[in-house]
Structure formats: structure tokens, C-alpha cells
Amino acid sequence: KDKEKEVIGMIDYYTGSKQERLVNLILEDGNYATEEQREKLQNQLIKATDNSNLYKGIVSFDNDWITQTIRIRDLEKLIATEVMPKFLKRCGFVDMKKMRYFFSMHGNTNHLHLHLGFAELKPNHINRDGKILYRRLGMITEEEKNYFKNELLIAIERNSVMKHMLVETNKDIDELKTYFNPNDKNFILKDIKDIRLEEKIIKLGFLINEYREDKDGKKVKYGSIKNNELGKEIKKITAEIKKELFYNKGSELYKQQSKVKEDLKKLNNYYDELNKQNHIESKIKNNKLVSSKSDYIDSYIHNAIINHALFRTNRLQNIVKTKNTKDKITLDDLLQELAFEKSKNYK
């Protein structure tokens, strides 16, 4: 009975009593709860609290900032569909279908604020041993609170200032990618004049073919390459090739990379400033936005290099096979053919 009173009292506080219903209750899909949905939620929570904690929280906003930055209805949908699922995952909950979460927006104080609540319908929290159990910690930790604020802030800013910054950043990233697209006129790996660099590319392709033999000839993605001896050598040579491609500070490629780095720096600085303004500690903040873009660029370039190395090596291999009756083509055979090919070009 006490738990039932707690649940009913909480939802009445969030929305107003049945006679009043002053405030809407927002559910997981971002829509307002009907009376029937409200009753269902209430019954589920009463049953859930036999085993689960009933978590509550409150987040307040600066009225001037929030009203200038985003429409309240858009904010409600953003919290329900983007921020809450990320937050609950951060708290260690695994399956959103085994959760109920809800919130309401209140404007009865000097600051607009939201009241939120959530509970597990079934065991849904992963513990340190990797087992799925009910979460026993009854409080939302400071780290989790800060993560919620951080994700909420980023989600809101994406709809305003950050949206414009991201458009410019993505545009510059797309331009950088053209230098590693074999179908684009900017393709940097086409017709390389440096024989030493070409030799590295051929060696890389030769090693990737060797690596593929253990994978039944399947396509190799840079991120999935193992850290065994062969894998480490492939990664080492790929990194060396990348470094040499960006070595010339006067090249258009280097200039485009610098633009992207400056874009990401601006994003990062803006992000840090938001954290300071909203009192989110730097050791707690989780800036995935900038790091994910950096990782994406690195991945795209690395994969472009290994794909080209494989293409270039296989092309040379086919030429050597037409001239040679050996059962197995060696790396030296390929490098000799490369030297012969280059010598023809320089005549």
C-alpha cells in the first residue's frame, strides 16, 4: 500500500490530480500520455516496485536560454527519444523495452524544470560480473546526473548553434574524403611518383593478401585487423603511408586536413564552454561528438589506403603472372615489376 501511494502521489505531483491534470506526462515515444496510458503506467510501476527501485530526478533550465534555443515541444521529444535512452544505457540498463520512463515539464517556479522517473519492469541492469539483475543502487550518482546534463545540452545545441557548425564540419570532411576516393579527380594515391612510397604500398598489399588467406579471402577492414604480428605490421605500414601522404604542408591535402582539424577544434572548444557554463566537470564529460568524427576520418583514410594497396598489388601480381611460370609470386617479384613499370614512365 505504501508503494502504491508513493507511485500515485508521484504521478499526481508530476501532472496534477485526476480532477486537475494541469501538466502533461510525456512517455517514451515523446507523446503525451492519455488517461488510459497513465493508468497503465501507474499499474506497471506499482508492480515493478516489488523488486525495482523507483528513480526520480529533476533538471532545471535557464528560461531565457531555453526559450531562445528550442521550442518546448521539440525539447520534450528530444528528451524522450534521444537523451533518456542514452542516459539509461549509461546507468547500466540494457534493454529499453524492460524499462518504463516518463517526465513532465513544470513552469511553476522561476526556472522551467522537468521531473523525471524510471523503473525496471524486469531485471535489466548489468553488474560488474556481467550478469543481468535488478539495479540495487537506489540513487542516481553524480556522474550519471552530469552525463544526463551533458547529453541534454548537446542534444539541444545540435538544434541551434552546433547544427550550423556541424554542417560546415561535415562539408569539410566530405571534401577531405575526395582525396581518398578512387573515383574522384582528387584521389591522392593515383600515379604516385615517389618510388619508396609505392614500394610501401605494394608491401602493404602483399601483407594484406597474406592476412586474407587466414580469413578465407574475405574483405579486410582496418578496424577489424587483429593485433597479432602480421596485423601490427599492416597497421604500422598503413600509418607510415598516411604520414607521408600528409607530409607536404603546402599540398591541398594538408590544407584540407588542417581545415577539418580547425573545425573539430572549434567544436571541441564550444563543447568545453558549454560544460563550464553548465557546471559539468571535465573529468565526467563524455565528448563523443568530436572524437567520433576524428575516428571516422581516420577509419576512412586507413581503409582507403589498404583498399588501394590491395588493388595496386593485385594488378601487379596479374602482370607478373603473365610473365612468370612460378607457383608463388614473391614480394621481390612485385617490387621488381614495380621498378620496371616506373622506369618505363621516366623514359
Side-chain angles (χ1 to χ4, degrees):
K1 284 293 181 184
D2 289 341
K3 291 179 179 177
E4 185 175 334
K5 283 183 180 179
E6 181 186 2
V7 170
I8 294 172
M10 179 186 66
I11 293 180
D12 278 349
Y13 179 75
Y14 281 17
T15 64
S17 65
K18 190 170 183 177
Q19 290 74 30
E20 297 173 327
R21 292 290 183 267
L22 299 174
V23 181
N24 287 306
L25 188 69
I26 299 107
L27 301 179
E28 293 89 346
D29 59 3
N31 291 324
Y32 296 142
T34 63
E35 195 61 38
E36 184 180 346
Q37 289 172 324
R38 186 179 183 277
E39 287 293 325
K40 180 181 178 181
L41 171 67
Q42 192 168 281
N43 291 333
Q44 285 179 314
L45 293 176
I46 291 169
K47 185 178 179 181
T49 51
D50 287 338
N51 298 296
S52 169
N53 291 307
L54 179 58
Y55 297 88
K56 308 169 192 175
I58 183 169
V59 179
S60 62
F61 303 93
D62 180 282
N63 286 0
D64 292 336
W65 176 76
I66 201 70
T67 53
Q68 290 172 17
T69 307
I70 189 171
R71 292 172 58 243
I72 298 304
R73 187 68 191 105
D74 291 339
L75 174 63
E76 291 171 340
K77 291 180 179 179
L78 205 60
I79 294 169
T81 60
E82 291 187 31
V83 179
M84 281 300 294
K86 287 182 180 179
F87 165 66
L88 293 174
K89 288 277 186 182
R90 181 67 171 217
C91 292
F93 299 108
V94 179
D95 187 353
M96 293 304 105
K97 292 179 182 178
K98 294 179 181 178
M99 304 288 297
R100 288 306 312 262
Y101 63 85
F102 51 92
F103 61 93
S104 62
M105 304 292 291
H106 287 198
N108 58 340
T109 65
N110 291 334
H111 295 283
L112 178 72
H113 57 279
L114 69 86
H115 291 273
L116 63 88
F118 58 91
E120 297 168 86
L121 300 181
K122 295 179 181 179
N124 192 36
H125 186 265
I126 188 163
N127 69 4
R128 292 178 181 177
D129 298 325
K131 294 180 180 179
I132 305 297
L133 305 167
Y134 284 106
R135 171 166 156 153
R136 289 302 163 210
L137 184 63
M139 300 289 288
I140 302 171
T141 68
E142 285 301 314
E143 189 272 344
E144 289 163 349
K145 290 175 187 176
N146 277 287
Y147 180 83
F148 182 92
K149 286 175 65 178
N150 189 36
E151 286 300 319
L152 178 57
L153 195 61
I154 290 299
I156 293 170
E157 287 296 330
R158 277 201 192 108
N159 285 269
S160 56
V161 179
M162 259 183 157
K163 189 173 182 178
H164 174 72
M165 294 175 75
L166 285 170
V167 168
E168 290 301 311
T169 301
N170 290 336
K171 182 180 174 183
D172 286 337
I173 289 173
D174 286 341
E175 180 63 23
L176 179 61
K177 285 167 60 180
T178 65
Y179 291 89
F180 296 92
N181 181 354
N183 299 317
D184 196 282
K185 61 181 176 61
N186 288 336
F187 189 46
I188 197 70
L189 292 163
K190 184 180 180 182
D191 298 330
I192 288 177
K193 301 294 187 293
D194 187 339
I195 184 69
R196 287 174 49 260
L197 182 55
E198 273 276 56
E199 286 177 349
K200 280 187 180 180
I201 290 171
I202 298 305
K203 183 180 179 181
L204 176 62
F206 187 83
L207 292 177
I208 293 168
N209 269 331
E210 188 179 326
Y211 187 88
R212 289 178 73 197
E213 288 177 7
D214 296 333
K215 298 288 182 182
D216 299 322
K218 291 181 180 177
K219 186 175 180 179
V220 176
K221 289 189 176 181
Y222 183 85
S224 64
I225 295 174
K226 294 180 179 178
N227 272 328
N228 54 23
E229 188 175 345
L230 180 57
K232 286 179 180 177
E233 184 64 15
I234 288 172
K235 290 179 179 179
K236 175 177 171 288
I237 297 174
T238 305
E240 289 173 357
I241 293 170
K242 179 187 173 187
K243 185 177 180 180
E244 289 191 41
L245 290 173
F246 286 97
Y247 183 75
N248 183 0
K249 294 184 178 181
S251 70
E252 292 302 314
L253 173 62
Y254 186 91
K255 291 175 185 176
Q256 190 59 36
Q257 183 198 41
S258 298
K259 283 182 71 176
V260 171
K261 284 184 175 179
E262 186 61 27
D263 290 338
L264 294 178
K265 184 180 178 181
K266 286 178 181 177
L267 273 173
N268 195 60
N269 290 343
Y270 186 64
Y271 185 92
D272 285 344
E273 187 59 33
L274 288 174
N275 281 317
K276 287 177 185 176
Q277 291 174 2
N278 290 272
H279 311 294
I280 299 172
E281 296 178 38
S282 58
K283 66 180 181 180
I284 288 174
K285 70 178 185 181
N286 185 24
N287 186 1
K288 290 182 179 179
L289 184 62
V290 175
S291 61
S292 65
K293 289 197 175 293
S294 295
D295 292 344
Y296 169 76
I297 295 165
D298 285 340
S299 176
Y300 188 90
I301 293 172
H302 289 146
N303 281 309
I305 291 171
I306 65 172
N307 288 337
H308 175 73
L310 197 58
F311 169 79
R312 189 80 175 89
T313 301
N314 288 343
R315 181 178 169 278
L316 273 183
Q317 214 159 24
N318 289 334
I319 294 171
V320 172
K321 282 178 181 177
T322 63
K323 300 178 179 181
N324 204 316
T325 57
K326 291 169 65 175
D327 292 333
K328 189 170 184 180
I329 307 298
T330 66
L331 177 59
D332 283 340
D333 294 329
L334 296 176
L335 294 178
Q336 285 176 23
E337 182 59 34
L338 174 66
F340 176 70
E341 185 183 273
K342 289 293 183 185
S343 68
K344 287 195 302 181
N345 292 338
Y346 290 130
K347 283 182 180 179

